[in-house]
Each structure stands twice: as structure tokens, then as C-alpha cells.
Amino acid sequence: MPSINRREFLSGTVAVLAAAGIRRPNRALANPNGDPSPSPLLLGVDYYPDQTPEALWDEDARMMAEFGFTNVRIAEFAWALMEPVEGKFDFSWLTAKYPEIVEVNAQGAPLHPGGRRFTCPTNKTYRRLSLAIACQMARTIADAPEVIGWQIDNELTLSSSPRCYCNYCQAGFQEWLRSKYGSLDNLNRTWGTVFWSQTYTDFSQVPVPLPSGGDPNPGLALDYNRYQSYANTSYLEEQLAVLRKTCPRHFVTTNNVGLPLDLIDLRSLYEKLDFVAFDNYPGFFEMLLHEQSKSGPVSWDYIYTATALGHDFARSLHGKPFMIMEQQSGKAGQRTFSPQPNKGQLRLWTYQTIAHGAMGVNYFRWDTATFGAEEYWHGILNHDRSKSPGFDEIKQTVKELKALGAEVLNASYPAETALVFDYDSDWALQIQPGHSGLSYTSQITSWYGAIASIRSGIDVIAPGADLASYKIVFAPVVYVLSEAQAAKVRSFVQSGGVFISNFRLGAKNEFSQMARTPLPGPLRDVMGVTIEDYVPIYSAKQGVKFSSALAGADGECGMWADVLQPTTAEVLGSYTSGAHAGRVAITVNSFGKGKAVYIGADLDPASLTRVLRSFSALAGVKPLLDVPSGVEVTVRSSDRKQWIFLLNHTDAAQTVNIPGPHTDLLTGESRTGSVSLGAYGVRVLQAS
């Protein structure tokens, strides 16, 4: 493709949007002084005119308009055509002139140009150049009627090197610590730097946690993870400020992969943006897990459950509808690629996002790349520009979603249940897991899968969130617990809520220091137990016998066992084998008007599901519908209307009984008694 300059590229791509029928809506999504408007519908595609011969732009625009798309995302990888001062460049040129912008990995080695995301989020030169591009781009197209919003950067959580450890980050970290702690005495005391004679007499002495012959101070390591999250957030917010000032009518967001990549606190990252946008590649996710698994193929039950968790997390970040900025549209991969999704799965995966609270979807991508690292990432058009196997299915889905309209796509998602996801516990457990097999995100996913089987709405919340609107709160592996967080839990239980946690509860405070009171620390009175011992398990699993209140087959305890000494709590389960046979494994405590449950054993999935479902019923959480295994059900509502989404994730037909007469909004059929779902089928039902 011939070389073109920034202005020519921007003018040409804006013309593509115009030709595709994209116009600024009457009410823009962005409203920095209040909640964004729900208009317009965002049902679109990701397009790369910088990778496509210019002679094809008009044809692509015409086809996109005929397809029914309402918007097109462009230019997230087109920086080399938009540099306002330095002239045309590629990454090797940039890093040759400014070598200081290169990220340093956790082993202390600098990354090399040639890939993507190899730059330091702290470096002022990199920030200046990034801001210059954003400023010029904003000024150039601020008044273009076809432009409706901005995505800052791309997938900040996705990198081969999770965090940067360069000298610039060290200096930034030291400045951040000075602001946080105020004095070295406070920092030294909080981290306990007297250990291993690490006491600092000047902030310039504080290192970053690179390999040094021993494990880093856990307080330092946790704070460094927090700093790196802050560095990325402040990098984004510099550009956000420019866009707010220059383009006040436009919405602004960014996109990320979500919970599987937990490197940045996304609650902070999205706090000032207009809405949350995530990327969604279930087939690619399945392929990656298959490649990494040592125990054979990964079940689709796990895939769709983990995907649903990501959607609920995205919705919960702002407490309102989110967007999928990249939705899988076919085979996906780079060195290897996943199979073509089965017929119906592309539609199903799109509806799963809508069912969990998405208000818009952009498919990745329009035309499949014929060069570069993502040649295997298939789009709606094949390499030869013929229709992909999913072309007609995606077109049908877009038509259906447009027919559902803004009322459904912007409806609320009611939830009586909350799952706590805590970045501090996650990061602290990565630093000191206590057991090589103990993973915070694995525990979160397992617990989500267990409570998702209850068939009720779930919010994924921060540890300090307001709990008043929930009947039951699940909080696995609360390894880090502050007094303020404990006070929220205490008030929730006293007021009648049900709180359920498990092993390692309250082991550390927010500074990554071990609790100096008997565990579970500040929640000992609420849980009604004292932890007599905590035991990582590396040999034979232990058995767990349940009381009559949790009647069922004996369970297994996997990698961890907290041995409980009840004070006011009732015993619900005991260990049946090993050194702690006969000792208490599970308890429930009445506290105020509510109850607190402690699960000391790392239970097998079936036992965990039974226990969590039992207490959900006790809390008054009722299933939305009784559905077969592999069928997902969610509800969205608006005023007095309610829409039930039924999603069949299996390759076999399923039948679901429904209460009262309903209209299937996708077919117009009136249904009563029961509805059928074909393989990978979808129903959207509204009460008649």
C-alpha cells in the first residue's frame, strides 16, 4: 500500500465511515457531567484500512452498510500513519531514537521492538509522544459528524511481559511511595524492612522487585503491583483529559481482556470512562486452555462459565451495560488457531454477552489479515475476501439485535447475589501463594461456577463495596482484609445478610503483613471461629463429612485445610482422614440477624456447589428457572418489563419449562408451558 500521511489517512477513514452510513446520533453517548445516554445502538465491526488497499475502502464501506452495522472501529494500530511531528516511523525507528521507552521485564531484560506493547507506562518521553498523537488526532476529527467516540490504546492488560521494571518505573515508584507513605519511617514500619536489614534511609534506595538472590519484601512487591496499575491508569487519564476537552460530545472508553489477565485494577482504569468495553474470544480461550492443560481437553462448561464471569465483572465495574469491543467472528489465533466455531456458536456467544448486560458488540474483524502476526485471526471475510463460514450467522444476529432495540440492550440486570473479587488478595497470593497450586483466579472461577448453577443474577464486586442490596455475598480466599472491609461485612451480616468465605480469610492486612491476632483476624467474632491450624496439602486428599444440614455424600478436601475451633459457630462438616480427622472443617455462625459461613476445606466442585446452593436457598435466593445442565438463564429488566434469556451451550436439543405465556422476541412466536432450544440455540422471552 502506498505511503500516506496522517491527515490523508484520517480523512480517508472518516470517508469510509460516512460511506458506511455512520452518523453522529442526536444524543451522544458521552456526557461527562452525568450518565451517558443509551443511544445509539453500537452493533459494529473492527476494521483496518491501514492494512487494506485503499482501492477496497469504498467497497468495504458499502458491504458493511448492507450488512447492517451501525459503527466501525478503526485505527488502534495505525500510529505509524498519525505521528504529528517526528514523521513516518515504525517501532524499530522509535526505539532507536528513544531507547528509554522500552519496557524491562521481570528478569531485568529490556524487551525488543517488533511485536506489540513493549513500552514503559511510566516513561515521560513515551507519554509525551502518545499524548501528542492523541491531541492531534482529536483536533483533526473533533467535528467530523461520522465520529461518535474514542478507544484509548488497546488491551492494556495484554502483554508478554506483565509489568515494567525499568529505571523510570523505579523512579516513578519511589515518587508514588513518597506520596502514599509521607515518610520513610512510615514506609519502613509498614513493610517491616528491618527484616533482612532492608531499612531505607532515602526513597531513592527503594528498589523494584527484580531478581536479587531472595524473595522480595511482600509489602514492597504488593505496592509495586499497585504502582504499575496506577501508572497505566494515569497514562490513560492523560489522554482522557485531552479528549474530554477537545471532543466533549464523544464517548471515551478502552478495551481489555478482563479477569483472566489481572495485571491492572480495572475498577480504577475504567472509573472515569463512559462505559466498560471488553473483548470476547471463547473459542480462542478454549484453545489456549487446551494447550496449557496437562489433564486433557477443557470442558465447555468451564469455558462458558468463565466467560460469563468475565461478562458479569464487566457489567459490575460501572454497574450498568457494557460493550464488547472485539467479538470472535471465526477461527482465532496467531501461531496456532482454534477451530471454526460450530454452527450457532457465534450467535450464542454474542447473545451470552447481551444476556449478562452488554449493550453493544463489535465483531473482530471485517477482513482477515493477509500479513503480520494475526494472519490466523479470521474475520467476517476470508483471506480471499469471500464470505466466511460465520458471515450469514453474524449478519442474522446483528439484524436480530437491532430488532430487539435499545430498550432491551440498555436494560438493567437484577442481582441478589454478589461475588467479591479483590485485586489485593489476588496479587498478594501470587507473591506468596502458600501452596504452589493455589490460585486466586482459579478459586474465583470455581466459586462463580458453583453459584451460577443457582440460576440467579450475580454481581462481581470490590471488597469495600456497599453490600446492602444483596441477600448473600460470597468471598473466596480473602487473603488480604482491612479493618474497613471487615466492618462492611460485619454490618451486612448484622443486618440480616449471609456471608460465605473460606480458608485464608484475613491472613494479611492491606500492607501484606500477617495478622497479629488469631485468624480469621478482624472477622473472628462474625465467623464465630478461631483457626487452630492452616495446612497446605501435598499428599493424599482428606475427606470431609457433612452434617445433616448439608446432607449428602462425603466430600474431598484438595490442596488446603483450615482446622477450625468454633466459639459460637455450629459445626457443619468435619475432616474424616489424615492428621486432623474428626476436627472441624465447615461452620455457620448466627451473628445479629444474619449468618456467616466458614469453609475451611478446599472442597471438590460437587461438594462446593451443594454447600453454596444450600445457603443461597437459606438466604432466600430463588432460581430464575429450572434448566438442564449446559443451559444458561439470565434476566434483564426495564421498568415493568422483563426479558428472559435462555442459552443452550450444548450440541444437543434441550427443553425448558417456563412459567406462564411468553413471546419469543427472536421469532415472534407465543410460547407457554415449555420451549425447545436447538443445539447452541437462543431464546429471548418476554412475558405476554
Side-chain angles (χ1 to χ4, degrees):
M1 186 169 66
S3 174
I4 58 176
N5 64 33
R6 168 186 46 80
R7 187 170 295 277
E8 289 171 336
F9 173 75
L10 289 175
S11 298
T13 51
V14 168
V16 169
L17 298 181
I22 307 301
R23 292 290 187 275
R24 178 180 289 135
N26 293 329
R27 294 185 298 162
L29 274 165
N31 180 6
N33 298 317
D35 288 335
S37 157
S39 297
L41 292 179
L42 294 174
L43 303 170
V45 70
D46 303 324
Y47 184 52
Y48 299 88
D50 47 311
Q51 301 171 20
T52 305
E54 189 172 356
L56 296 173
W57 290 1
D58 286 345
E59 177 186 344
D60 283 334
R62 175 186 57 77
M63 292 178 67
M64 291 176 199
E66 292 175 352
F67 201 93
F69 287 131
T70 66
N71 69 279
V72 182
R73 182 189 71 160
I74 60 171
E76 83 267 24
F77 289 133
W79 311 303
L81 298 175
M82 294 181 289
E83 168 63 14
V85 176
E86 301 286 344
K88 183 183 177 184
F89 63 86
D90 58 28
F91 289 125
S92 60
W93 179 92
L94 179 62
T95 52
K97 185 170 184 179
Y98 302 111
E100 69 269 23
I101 74 169
V102 171
E103 183 176 322
V104 172
N105 67 18
Q107 287 70 48
L111 301 186
H112 298 280
R116 56 177 276 185
R117 192 156 300 289
F118 55 84
T119 47
C120 166
T122 302
N123 184 268
K124 292 182 179 179
T125 300
Y126 175 64
R127 286 190 174 208
R128 173 175 59 82
L129 295 171
S130 298
L131 194 60
I133 294 174
C135 287
Q136 184 62 37
M137 191 174 180
R139 286 194 294 265
T140 300
I141 57 178
D143 295 323
E146 299 80 15
V147 177
I148 60 174
W150 298 81
Q151 172 191 303
I152 297 177
D153 213 286
N154 184 74
E155 296 178 332
L156 287 166
T157 54
L158 187 60
S159 171
S160 60
S161 176
R163 296 180 175 94
C164 182
Y165 298 83
C166 72
N167 292 337
Y168 298 94
C169 281
Q170 182 176 3
F173 180 45
Q174 292 163 354
E175 182 180 348
W176 182 83
L177 292 172
R178 188 188 301 274
S179 176
K180 178 175 181 177
Y181 291 103
S183 70
L184 283 169
D185 286 345
N186 191 22
L187 181 147
N188 284 320
R189 182 178 59 256
T190 302
W191 285 358
T193 56
V194 67
F195 188 81
W196 280 355
S197 296
Q198 293 174 342
T199 302
Y200 304 110
T201 58
D202 194 283
F203 277 101
S204 64
Q205 298 169 356
V206 179
V208 297
L210 285 168
S212 63
D215 291 334
N217 180 292
L220 180 151
L222 179 56
D223 266 342
Y224 194 70
N225 289 349
R226 291 165 172 158
Y227 167 72
Q228 282 286 298
S229 181
Y230 161 80
N232 280 280
T233 298
S234 59
Y235 160 80
L236 176 144
E237 289 180 351
E238 284 182 348
Q239 297 174 59
L240 175 62
V242 168
L243 294 173
R244 288 276 189 247
K245 180 179 180 180
T246 311
C247 308
R249 292 178 294 177
H250 296 164
F251 66 75
V252 186
T253 188
T254 188
N255 65 319
N256 281 289
V257 178
L259 270 180
L261 295 173
D262 48 1
L263 309 174
I264 298 174
D265 183 342
L266 295 183
R267 294 187 179 103
S268 296
L269 189 74
Y270 282 101
E271 182 178 3
K272 298 179 181 179
L273 298 176
D274 289 305
F275 57 84
V276 174
F278 273 15
D279 299 340
N280 188 44
Y281 295 101
F284 180 65
F285 181 44
E286 189 269 345
M287 181 196 73
L288 285 182
L289 290 180
H290 177 77
E291 291 178 349
Q292 297 167 4
S293 174
K294 298 179 181 178
S295 57
V298 179
S299 74
W300 266 107
D301 283 350
Y302 180 86
I303 302 299
Y304 84 74
T305 298
T307 302
L309 169 58
H311 298 333
D312 282 344
F313 180 56
R315 186 196 65 254
S316 301
L317 288 176
H318 272 196
K320 62 185 181 184
F322 64 99
M323 182 181 181
I324 295 297
M325 194 64 77
E326 298 182 13
Q327 174 70 34
Q328 184 170 344
S329 61
K331 305 177 185 71
Q334 292 181 205
R335 296 177 62 192
T336 59
F337 55 85
S338 63
Q340 176 65 28
N342 294 322
K343 184 177 180 181
Q345 279 189 310
L346 294 174
R347 178 172 176 261
L348 172 68
W349 295 341
T350 299
Y351 272 102
Q352 187 184 29
T353 73
I354 303 299
H356 284 269
M359 52 79 175
V361 176
N362 267 33
Y363 288 91
F364 184 89
R365 46 186 280 171
W366 175 248
D367 53 342
T368 307
T370 58
F371 52 81
E374 295 187 352
E375 296 169 347
Y376 282 175
W377 218 287
H378 292 66
I380 295 173
L381 299 183
N382 292 321
H383 291 105
D384 61 0
R385 295 182 60 82
S386 61
K387 294 180 180 180
S388 73
F391 184 97
D392 292 330
E393 187 175 319
I394 295 172
K395 187 174 183 179
Q396 173 196 352
T397 304
V398 170
K399 182 178 179 181
E400 290 173 351
L401 292 176
K402 292 175 78 172
L404 287 179
E407 185 180 19
V408 176
L409 297 179
N410 289 281
S412 63
Y413 183 97
E416 299 176 317
T417 298
L419 175 70
V420 176
F421 176 83
D422 178 24
Y423 282 100
D424 282 351
S425 290
D426 184 2
W427 294 340
L429 207 66
Q430 291 179 33
I431 296 164
Q432 292 178 307
H435 188 297
S436 59
L438 182 54
S439 160
Y440 184 82
T441 53
S442 293
Q443 287 285 319
I444 285 286
T445 305
S446 296
W447 276 55
Y448 179 88
I451 60 180
S453 68
I454 300 165
R455 315 298 185 194
S456 179
I458 305 168
D459 283 344
V460 183
I461 62 171
D466 183 2
L467 307 179
S469 63
Y470 303 107
K471 292 182 177 179
I472 187 167
V473 172
F474 300 92
V477 200
V478 185
Y479 186 50
V480 172
L481 179 66
S482 71
E483 291 285 352
Q485 292 163 2
K488 289 282 186 74
V489 173
R490 180 174 289 103
S491 177
F492 170 70
V493 178
Q494 282 179 325
S495 300
V498 177
F499 176 77
I500 304 183
S501 191
N502 66 340
F503 51 88
R504 308 308 281 143
L505 173 62
K508 287 198 169 197
N509 64 18
E510 65 269 37
F511 306 110
S512 205
Q513 287 194 3
M514 302 303 298
R516 300 185 183 186
T517 59
L519 296 181
L523 285 178
R524 195 165 71 258
D525 59 332
V526 178
M527 308 310 293
V529 298
T530 296
I531 308 306
E532 184 177 319
D533 196 6
Y534 43 87
V535 185
I537 300 172
Y538 294 95
S539 54
K541 295 180 179 179
Q542 297 191 28
V544 176
K545 183 176 182 60
F546 300 97
S547 71
S548 57
L550 298 174
D554 287 0
E556 282 189 338
C557 173
M559 73 181 94
W560 198 277
D562 274 3
V563 181
L564 312 181
Q565 178 63 53
T567 52
T568 58
E570 174 189 349
V571 177
L572 294 180
S574 302
Y575 298 108
T576 61
S577 58
H580 300 288
R583 306 312 298 272
V584 178
I586 305 171
T587 60
V588 60
N589 188 49
S590 295
F591 187 82
K593 298 178 182 179
K595 294 186 181 296
V597 181
Y598 198 108
I599 304 174
D602 176 33
L603 293 175
D604 63 276
S607 297
L608 179 65
T609 298
R610 188 171 78 250
V611 172
L612 300 190
R613 291 186 69 167
S614 295
F615 282 101
S616 292
L618 179 67
V621 177
K622 299 178 180 178
L624 299 171
L625 289 176
D626 185 17
V627 297
S629 176
V631 174
E632 193 176 5
V633 55
T634 71
V635 166
R636 296 186 69 173
S637 60
S638 176
D639 296 327
R640 297 182 180 180
K641 294 182 181 179
Q642 186 181 78
W643 298 277
I644 299 174
F645 289 78
L646 296 175
L647 311 168
N648 181 11
H649 292 276
T650 75
D651 60 1
Q654 304 283 356
T655 300
V656 176
N657 293 323
I658 58 174
H662 285 74
T663 299
D664 186 335
L665 298 186
L666 303 182
T667 65
E669 300 173 326
S670 296
R671 310 292 303 183
T672 187
S674 66
V675 295
S676 61
L677 290 161
Y680 309 114
V682 174
R683 297 274 190 180
V684 181
L685 304 176
Q686 182 177 347
S688 301

